[in-house]
Amino acid sequence: MSTSQQPEPSDRPARLTVGVVGAGRVGPALAASLQLAGHRPVAASGVSDASRRRAAQLLPDVPLVPPAEVLRRADLVLLTVPDDALPGLVSGLAETGAVRPGQLLVHTSGRYGARVLDPAVRAGALPLALHPAMTFTGTPVDVQRLAGCSFGVTAPEELRLAAEALVIEMGGEPEWIAEEMRPLYHAALALGANHLVTLVAQSMELLREAGVEAPDRMLGPLLGAALDNALRSGDAALTGPVARGDAGTVAAHVEQLRRHSPQTVAGYLAMARATADRALAHGLLKPELAEDLLGVLADAGGPGTSPSDGTDGTEGHAR
């Protein structure tokens, strides 16, 4: 569903009072986005200094109160706490009588679907799982980034239109995820986004070690093009020494990484093996070249790969 296709008036949720339980990076941004759509943030909860600063910046004049008081004041409550804390929070709110019948409870966990809200549903709440597939900074730029952001949506069928309408009002694109597929969906996002940050950070450290003064400037165009090619063409976009079967170059890489950054060797080898498998499966890596390449990767995975195998773990760390 495109953001340009606005929901019919009968499908749009009424103007709602909005509360946030957990003023981390996500909750205040979503509440601020809902405010732009005409809803009214009325309360938030947060105890850390960072949470209070985020709430003050994104939701000025919205009072910080205990979670139960947030539920008392709001028609729509955003539960934006860490995944592991969510089940206990929901159970606690339900057990203490904080949940009101007809109240919309929205969590933003990628891991869970709507069933994690079952204790609140038994108290009369209406459950929605709306997970923005976006990384958040805790600053106003997050509200702008929600434009065109996909949301993983899970809810009972009778609440589907309301869930999708809320996402569209925040500028997002609803993508329906079945309850049982939520963990797989979340694993896919973590594999792509979270590990990407680790890979880029390691690459920048190595470039600095090699004497590059502006690794971000060097990597920006390269990584931007690689990402664009991968999104457009999938495995057909694979390039580089592994996809070519250039075993000598890969062996040189491993030798240099062991010398300058031993903590990156295991990750390099794991990604090289995965890349080789995909390149072989898609006919990019010639079988006659794959044997030598896979031999190098197998030999490189032997003793000495990690600091615990006798390599000095302090040698070559980014300075």
Side-chain angles (χ1 to χ4, degrees):
M1 184 182 297
S2 170
T3 53
S4 62
Q5 180 184 349
Q6 293 297 320
E8 295 296 324
S10 59
D11 296 335
R12 294 180 62 175
R15 302 304 89 188
L16 301 168
T17 52
V18 178
V20 178
V21 175
R25 296 183 179 184
V26 179
L30 296 187
S33 183
L34 288 169
Q35 185 173 33
L36 291 176
H39 301 288
R40 185 165 61 92
V42 293
S45 69
V47 294
S48 71
D49 290 340
S51 294
R52 292 177 178 274
R53 285 195 300 270
R54 279 190 290 266
Q57 185 177 28
L58 288 163
L59 301 172
D61 302 322
V62 172
L64 289 176
V65 298
E69 181 63 16
V70 174
L71 269 71
R72 190 186 71 81
R73 298 186 185 191
D75 303 314
L76 164 63
V77 179
L78 301 170
L79 304 178
T80 53
V81 298
D83 290 0
D84 288 349
L86 182 60
L89 172 66
V90 175
S91 296
L93 291 172
E95 289 169 2
T96 57
V99 178
R100 294 187 283 108
Q103 191 168 45
L104 281 165
L105 282 191
V106 178
H107 79 71
T108 58
S109 166
R111 170 185 172 188
Y112 292 108
R115 288 183 195 143
V116 72
L117 298 173
D118 278 353
V121 171
R122 289 190 287 272
L126 305 177
L128 305 177
L130 307 180
H131 174 252
M134 176 57 62
T135 182
F136 287 79
T137 64
T139 66
V141 71
D142 296 331
V143 180
Q144 302 170 22
R145 287 178 174 173
L146 287 173
C149 168
S150 290
F151 278 66
V153 178
T154 305
E157 185 63 32
E158 62 271 20
L159 294 176
R160 180 167 183 156
L161 289 178
E164 292 178 342
L166 284 171
V167 169
I168 291 171
E169 287 192 324
M170 287 186 282
E173 298 276 358
E175 187 73 41
W176 197 256
I177 308 295
E179 179 82 29
E180 65 275 12
M181 290 298 174
R182 292 288 289 208
L184 178 61
Y185 151 81
H186 196 224
L189 295 179
L191 182 66
N194 301 158
H195 297 171
L196 175 64
V197 174
T198 300
L199 291 172
V200 173
Q202 288 182 341
S203 181
M204 291 177 64
E205 288 177 352
L206 292 169
L207 287 171
R208 290 191 189 98
E209 181 79 12
V212 175
E213 292 185 0
D216 53 342
R217 188 170 64 227
M218 177 175 283
L219 284 175
L222 173 64
L223 298 183
L227 177 60
D228 184 64
N229 291 341
L231 293 175
R232 291 174 182 270
S233 305
D235 288 299
L238 282 171
T239 61
V242 173
R244 291 193 300 267
D246 193 344
T249 297
V250 171
H253 288 178
V254 175
E255 189 275 329
Q256 287 296 307
L257 292 178
R258 279 209 176 114
R259 179 182 302 176
H260 294 281
S261 185
Q263 72 276 13
T264 65
V265 172
Y268 179 94
L269 293 175
M271 291 305 299
R273 293 186 187 107
T275 300
D277 289 344
R278 299 190 75 89
L280 266 173
H282 288 81
L284 301 173
L285 174 59
K286 296 178 181 179
E288 60 268 25
L289 297 177
E291 185 174 356
D292 286 345
L293 173 67
L294 295 175
V296 167
L297 294 176
D299 292 342
T305 298
S306 65
S308 61
D309 290 325
T311 303
D312 180 1
T314 62
E315 178 185 357
H317 279 229
R319 296 175 175 84

